[in-house]
Each structure stands twice: as structure tokens, then as C-alpha cells.
């Protein structure tokens, strides 16, 4: 028999910090603003420093079972990710708490290592028992529905930022020591091996008026490799590594162009247009974007004239794209305005989440 309901209506599960996953943060903010009694449970290694997978998983599961039996169960759990959805599944198994899964990534079995094999083995069960699935794009939704024969309700909610005010210049460029006549190309996000950053660094060699700013968390070894490449290419002074930033919007507003290139090697990077936080944030900040020439990207970038798409992923193509922007300032202004308009009218989270708001309301009421 399940414990009695808690005064807390919704519990949000997050393995890492909530703000590290912007759509999860925006969704949680809007749920609170809509009057829900909500708590966020962050439970990664920083919260349980003496536990490692699989012991961390078991410790957290036991902790939550004891907590819910003592305090009462929430009416709904929202899980953001493969680790969280497995935890939500076991909480449903033991306590019958209904849950929603936000499927932020798509994985292949061949990519799984260590404890992630356990998580992947539970993916069918975890998604199959969810009351609602939320995907950032329709291709991932169809892939999972076909992979596991899923039949429960599912929604597509783009990974858009919340509605942002008009772009305002700030003093960050002066802080960075950037000349007023230089252009700033920004990469904002997790600094990974499949984001084509080496292409942009090599392209700087031919584009002396461009500075490449890289902002986001990175593995120490990979960051060292990028810095070494910048030195080898003679562009170290025009390649700025900011690390994790507290105010991403201040950084965005200090830049001119956005870099959003994915090398389609891991499965999750083959389906990335409306799932790309950085692409949507570039639009919100009015930054013309440089991205892949995949159909999804062409739809939002070429068709809407918000930037350029690379037909070939090499540094020469990146250099040519930067040259085109340098030589066409009027078109740059037009692309910037188009990006802002797209954000204002369609690609902001307040608009995207409306169907999700109604679904969550129905689930909470049915569990009362």
C-alpha cells in the first residue's frame, strides 16, 4: 500500500544541477509560477560525494523511499534524463507514484559504458511506464516510439529559452580585450569532442578580424588539446576560453555570431535542431548562426534566413562562411532581426510548454 499523498504536488528529479539543463530549469520555473507546490531533488556525486554508481543509485532510491513513506508521496514525479527516468521507474514500482519523463537525449547501446549499460537496459521499462513522455523534437519521438513500441501520450516541446528582452550591448568585450572592429564568434554549451570546435579554431588563421569565444564546461584533457591547437595555429590570442559562465545572456549579448556545429557521430547528435539549446539561445539573442546543413537546421536557418549552413564540415568552409558575414553587413543585420523575430513569435518556452502545462495539470488532478 502506498503512503498517503504529500503536500508537495510535484518532485523534479535531476542527477546534476537543474540550471545545467536549461529546459528543465525553465519548465520548473513555470510550474512554480503556475502555483504548484514543487521540490527539486538534485542527487549527483556533489550531493552524495562518498557514493559512486551503482551504489549512488541504490542509496538515492532508498533515501527517497524512506522520505516519501515518512512525508507522503508527491502526486507526480518529473524525470529529466536516463538516470532520473530509471529512478522514477523504481519509485513507481515500489510506491506507485506516477511520473513524466523528459527525454533530452537519444542513445545507442554501443555508446553505453559501465553503469550506463544498466540504465540503458531499463530504458524500455522506464519509458513504457511513464504517464507522459516529452521530446525536444519529433524525430527522437518517432525513433523511441518505434524502438520500444510506445503508445502512451507524448508531446514535442522545443528546447527554447524563456522569452528574452531585446538585445543590449554590455562591457564584456572590453573586459575580454576585444577591439571594437573585431567580430566575436561564440560557442556556448558543453565543450565536447563532437562540436567541431577544431574547425573554427583553424578557420581563425585566415580570419584575423574574428575572435572565437568558447564558454562551457569541458574535460581538462580536451580543453588542453584545444588550447594547444590554438597555439599551434597561431590564434591563441583570439581564442578565449571562459569555462562555465554564471550569466549566459550577458555572454550572448556581447557576441556577434553563434557557432552550432555537430559532428554526427554519436546517435544523439544526429537529431539536434530544435533539441539544441545553444541554437535556440543564439536566436533569442539575435545572433546569426553557423550550423550543419541537415534538413532540420536548413528549415530554421536557411529557410528563415537566420544564418548559414555548412555543406561540408571543414575549416575552409567555416572560413568562407565567416568571410561572407564580414562582407555582407546588411544581410547580417537582416539575419539577426529574423532570429529575434523567430524567438519572439514561436521559439520561446512560454509558448512551447502550453500543451505540457495542460497535461501536467491533468496528471496532478487525476492523482489527487
Amino acid at each position: 500500500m502506498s503512503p498517503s499523498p504529500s503536500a508537495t504536488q510535484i518532485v523534479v528529479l535531476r542527477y546534476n544541477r537543474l540550471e545545467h539543463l536549461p529546459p528543465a530549469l525553465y519548465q520548473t520555473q513555470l510550474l512554480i509560477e503556475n502555483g504548484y507546490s514543487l521540490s527539486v531533488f538534485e542527487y549527483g556525486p556533489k550531493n552524495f560525494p562518498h557514493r559512486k554508481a551503482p551504489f549512488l543509485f541504490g542509496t538515492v532510491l532508498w533515501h527517497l523511499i524512506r522520505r516519501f513513506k515518512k512525508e507522503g508521496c508527491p502526486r507526480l514525479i518529473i524525470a529529466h534524463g536516463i538516470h532520473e527516468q530509471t529512478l522514477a521507474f523504481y519509485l513507481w514500482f515500489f510506491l506507485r507514484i506516477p511520473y513524466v519523463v523528459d527525454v533530452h537525449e537519444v542513445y545507442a547501446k554501443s555508446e553505453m559504458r559501465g553503469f550506463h549499460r544498466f540504465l540503458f537496459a531499463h530504458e524500455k521499462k522506464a519509458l513504457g511506464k511513464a504517464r507522459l513522455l516529452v521530446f525536444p523534437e519529433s524525430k527522437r519521438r518517432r525513433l523511441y516510439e518505434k524502438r520500444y513500441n510506445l503508445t502512451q501520450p507524448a508531446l514535442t516541446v522545443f528546447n527554447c529559452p524563456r522569452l528574452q528582452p531585446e538585445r543590449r550591448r554590455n562591457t564584456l568585450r572590453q573586459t575580454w580585450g576585444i577591439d571594437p572592429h573585431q567580430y566575436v564568434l561564440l560557442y556556448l554549451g558543453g565543450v565536447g569532442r563532437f562540436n567541431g570546435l577544431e574547425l573554427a579554431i583553424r578557420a581563425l588563421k585566415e580570419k584575423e578580424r574574428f575572435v572565437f569565444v568558447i564558454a562551457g564546461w569541458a574535460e581538462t584533457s580536451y580543453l588542453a588539446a584545444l588550447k594547444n591547437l590554438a597555439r599551434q595555429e597561431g590564434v591563441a590570442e583570439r581564442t578565449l576560453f571562459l569555462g562555465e559562465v554564471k550569466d549566459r545572456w550577458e555572454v550572448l549579448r556581447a557576441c556577434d555570431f553563434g557557432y552550432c556545429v555537430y559532428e554526427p557521430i554519436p546517435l544523439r547528435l544526429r537529431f539536434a535542431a530544435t533539441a539544441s539549446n545553444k541554437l535556440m539561445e543564439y536566436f533569442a539573442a539575435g545572433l546569426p548562426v553557423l550550423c550543419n546543413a541537415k534538413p532540420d537546421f536548413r528549415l530554421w536557418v536557411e529557410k528563415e534566413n537566420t544564418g548559414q549552413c555548412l555543406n561540408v564540415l571543414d575549416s575552409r568552409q567555416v572560413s568562407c562562411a565567416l568571410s561572407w558575414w564580414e562582407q555582407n553587413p546588411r544581410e547580417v543585420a537582416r539575419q539577426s532581426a529574423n532570429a529575434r523575430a523567430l524567438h519572439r513569435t514561436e521559439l520561446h518556452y512560454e509558448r512551447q510548454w502550453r500543451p505540457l502545462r495542460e497535461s501536467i495539470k491533468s496528471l496532478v488532478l487525476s492523482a489527487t
Side-chain angles (χ1 to χ4, degrees):
M1 182 177 178
S2 299
S4 59
S6 165
T8 301
Q9 295 172 302
I10 299 173
V11 169
V12 176
L13 299 179
R14 182 71 184 118
Y15 179 71
N16 291 308
R17 294 174 61 186
L18 189 69
E19 56 263 35
H20 287 180
L21 188 60
L25 175 63
Y26 305 145
Q27 183 186 118
T28 302
Q29 289 173 340
L30 285 167
L31 286 169
I32 294 172
E33 290 171 19
N34 276 254
Y36 287 100
S37 171
L38 180 149
S39 69
V40 177
F41 185 70
E42 298 173 338
Y43 64 92
K46 290 184 179 180
N47 304 85
F48 293 83
H50 304 298
R51 292 287 187 269
K52 295 184 179 180
F55 305 107
L56 171 63
F57 185 88
T59 298
V60 171
L61 177 61
W62 178 239
H63 171 86
L64 285 173
I65 290 174
R66 290 180 62 191
R67 170 181 159 180
F68 292 152
K69 283 188 173 182
K70 179 181 179 180
E71 301 175 3
C73 290
R75 294 183 177 90
L76 187 69
I77 287 175
I78 298 179
H80 290 282
I82 190 170
H83 200 288
E84 297 89 335
Q85 72 194 28
T86 311
L87 185 61
F89 166 75
Y90 275 103
L91 289 170
W92 169 85
F93 182 83
F94 289 112
L95 301 176
R96 286 301 189 262
I97 306 172
Y99 63 95
V100 172
V101 174
D102 279 73
V103 187
H104 296 285
E105 301 285 4
V106 54
Y107 299 99
K109 185 177 181 179
S110 60
E111 298 171 8
M112 298 294 101
R113 299 290 185 273
F115 187 66
H116 277 80
R117 292 179 179 176
F118 168 83
L119 300 176
F120 187 80
H122 281 75
E123 191 174 55
K124 181 178 181 179
K125 292 179 181 178
L127 297 181
K129 292 299 182 180
R131 296 289 298 275
L132 174 69
L133 300 175
V134 183
F135 295 91
E137 57 157 336
S138 58
K139 284 186 177 180
R140 295 188 191 200
R141 175 176 171 175
R142 291 194 296 269
L143 182 149
Y144 270 112
E145 287 175 342
K146 182 177 180 181
R147 177 188 282 181
Y148 296 129
N149 194 28
L150 302 173
T151 58
Q152 74 267 58
L155 296 173
T156 300
V157 179
F158 296 167
N159 281 355
C160 305
R162 299 193 66 176
L163 192 60
Q164 295 296 313
E166 288 292 336
R167 180 180 176 187
R168 300 183 305 276
R169 283 292 185 186
N170 53 42
T171 59
L172 275 184
R173 293 168 77 104
Q174 293 95 306
T175 303
W176 295 338
I178 295 175
D179 187 281
H181 301 291
Q182 288 181 303
Y183 298 105
V184 181
L185 176 67
L186 172 67
Y187 175 86
L188 178 63
V191 181
R193 299 179 185 276
F194 303 108
N195 295 108
L197 302 177
E198 295 86 350
L199 305 181
I201 291 173
R202 292 190 178 99
L204 289 182
K205 194 171 185 178
E206 299 179 13
K207 305 308 304 173
E208 295 184 357
R209 290 186 65 188
F210 277 83
V211 174
F212 189 29
V213 171
I214 300 173
W217 178 88
E219 292 181 3
T220 304
S221 59
Y222 182 57
L223 184 61
L226 290 177
K227 290 181 177 179
N228 186 51
L229 175 63
R231 286 192 295 269
Q232 290 176 353
E233 296 292 330
V235 296
E237 292 184 355
R238 292 186 290 115
T239 307
L240 305 184
F241 297 91
L242 303 184
E244 291 187 79
V245 294
K246 291 183 178 180
D247 190 338
R248 59 203 303 114
W249 294 106
E250 282 297 294
V251 173
L252 282 157
R253 291 170 184 137
C255 300
D256 300 299
F257 306 102
Y259 190 75
C260 185
V261 173
Y262 294 93
E263 296 181 20
I265 298 173
L267 180 61
R268 65 184 181 278
L269 298 185
R270 298 176 196 171
F271 308 95
T274 59
S276 174
N277 295 307
K278 64 181 72 67
L279 178 68
M280 297 297 157
E281 288 171 343
Y282 296 154
F283 287 165
L287 302 187
V289 65
L290 184 61
C291 65
N292 300 61
K294 296 295 183 181
D296 285 356
F297 285 103
R298 287 186 182 276
L299 175 66
W300 297 106
V301 176
E302 287 191 342
K303 185 177 179 181
E304 300 290 343
N305 190 25
T306 58
Q308 302 181 71
C309 293
L310 296 172
N311 291 308
V312 180
L313 295 183
D314 63 32
S315 58
R316 180 60 184 160
Q317 289 295 311
V318 174
S319 178
C320 288
L322 299 183
S323 294
W324 189 88
W325 273 330
E326 190 175 5
Q327 296 163 10
N328 294 275
R330 289 186 179 179
E331 193 61 28
V332 167
R334 189 174 293 112
Q335 290 180 347
S336 176
N338 291 344
R340 272 292 303 167
L342 200 57
H343 167 71
R344 227 175 18 249
T345 58
E346 185 173 358
L347 299 180
H348 58 86
Y349 203 82
E350 284 86 344
R351 178 183 177 118
Q352 288 292 319
W353 100 297
R354 290 172 190 168
L356 177 59
R357 176 186 60 194
E358 297 306 312
S359 295
I360 288 177
K361 179 180 178 181
S362 177
L363 288 171
V364 170
L365 288 175
S366 66
T368 302

